[in-house]
Amino acid sequence: MTRVLITGFAPFDGQQVNPSWQAASLVAAEPPAGLTVTAAELPCVFGESIDALRDAVRAAEPDLILCLGQAGGRPGVTVERVGLNVDDARIPDNAGNQPIDEPVIPGGPAAYFSTLPVKACVAALRAAGVPAAVSNTAGTFVCNHVAYGLGHLITTEFPHARGGFVHVPWAPEQVTDGTAPALEPATVARGLRALLLAAARTPADGDLKVTEGATH
């Protein structure tokens, strides 16, 4: 059995729900065959989120780590390729912190690449009927903070594990005017189960050689 830790965030910016935690909970409640899945909710707070992630990894001892976050406005599930060593918050986090041009980890490398097979993960999502793409920016808010922090934790403390970050769209209940794209958390969870199976079966150095590049 492959051990998986999946995380989502608490609601933020006045929202009542966070689809990342909704989807993570659904996957943990009904994991794909051959995987044991533990879910952990992370606070949407700079610093505290990485501490909570570290504690969750220590408790679950996972082989795979999948961190989820909300990306309102994106039409599909996006598998992040890279996390950057910068915090530049457009809005305050849930504790009122709003860092500007500060490093996630002082003295750390400029970036960490996902150690999941990102293109195989995207292909698995699409095969499950879920719109998906590779993303080359996780933003500069708490999602990127955790994406980079996860890379740092794997490199420095948990080298046995592989992991990466995935953004999910708004849930329909968050789109009150009906003009922005949204996906049901159950649909997202269906795709994430396929993603996890693909990640478990595909080594990081055995990713698909297909075009998923972007011009900007």
Side-chain angles (χ1 to χ4, degrees):
M1 297 288 285
T2 299
R3 298 185 303 274
V4 176
L5 172 67
I6 187 168
T7 73
F9 281 108
F12 70 100
D13 196 25
Q15 296 287 324
Q16 298 301 305
V17 299
N18 191 313
S20 68
W21 177 239
Q22 291 176 309
S25 300
L26 289 170
V27 174
E30 190 177 342
L35 307 183
T36 59
V37 180
T38 301
E41 185 182 55
L42 303 183
C44 190
V45 178
F46 290 100
E48 291 182 21
S49 52
I50 295 178
D51 292 340
L53 176 59
R54 178 188 287 108
D55 291 343
V57 175
R58 285 175 175 165
E61 298 183 341
D63 306 298
L64 292 175
I65 305 166
L66 184 66
C67 295
L68 308 178
Q70 169 188 301
R74 293 190 185 184
V77 176
T78 47
V79 182
E80 298 297 340
R81 193 195 300 260
V82 61
L84 301 178
N85 193 14
V86 61
D87 292 331
D88 190 6
R90 179 181 60 83
I91 58 175
D93 67 13
N94 283 355
N97 304 307
Q98 194 171 6
I100 298 174
D101 297 338
E102 296 181 10
V104 179
I105 304 293
Y112 283 111
F113 283 99
S114 173
T115 52
L116 299 180
V118 295
K119 294 182 178 180
C121 289
V122 168
L125 284 158
R126 291 173 180 163
V130 179
V134 173
S135 170
N136 296 300
T137 173
T140 55
F141 195 53
V142 185
C143 285
N144 175 75
H145 185 83
V146 165
Y148 183 90
L150 172 61
H152 191 72
L153 288 173
I154 289 173
T155 299
T156 60
E157 299 182 40
F158 307 104
H160 64 281
R162 292 188 294 144
F165 196 95
V166 169
H167 269 116
V168 305
W170 274 321
E173 64 195 280
Q174 295 175 284
V175 183
T176 56
D177 60 5
T179 61
L183 280 178
E184 289 285 354
T187 300
V188 174
R190 183 181 73 235
L192 294 175
R193 293 185 187 100
L195 179 157
L196 289 171
L197 286 173
R201 295 167 178 168
T202 309
D205 60 358
D207 202 2
L208 300 178
K209 294 296 182 182
V210 295
T211 300
E212 292 287 350
T215 57
H216 61 279

